[in-house]
Amino acid sequence: MRKPRKRSFQELVTENKLQLLKDREAIEKIEERIEKKHLKKAR
């Protein structure tokens, strides 16, 4: 058996980004979190 090739950090980031773009629900959760953070800072 061959060892699986280690991916570079950049490859992982790119792969993650593509998965997120396909996953509408995950994007909405992230946007909500960002909005909450900004609202806390605005006070």
Side-chain angles (χ1 to χ4, degrees), residues 14-29:
T14 304
E15 191 177 306
N16 200 7
K17 210 181 280 184
L18 291 172
Q19 283 178 345
L20 278 175
L21 288 173
K22 292 178 190 167
D23 188 353
R24 196 65 221 154
E25 205 174 296
I27 291 175
E28 288 169 13
K29 280 183 188 175

Side-chain angles (χ1 to χ4, degrees), residues 4-16:
R5 186 176 77 84
K6 294 234 184 212
R7 292 192 197 124
S8 72
F9 181 72
Q10 188 60 47
E11 286 173 317
L12 289 172
V13 168
T14 304
E15 191 177 306
N16 200 7

Side-chain angles (χ1 to χ4, degrees), residues 25-38:
E25 205 174 296
I27 291 175
E28 288 169 13
K29 280 183 188 175
I30 292 170
E31 286 174 344
E32 281 178 31
R33 250 189 264 156
I34 291 171
E35 282 177 30
K36 285 179 186 174
K37 209 181 266 187
H38 284 291

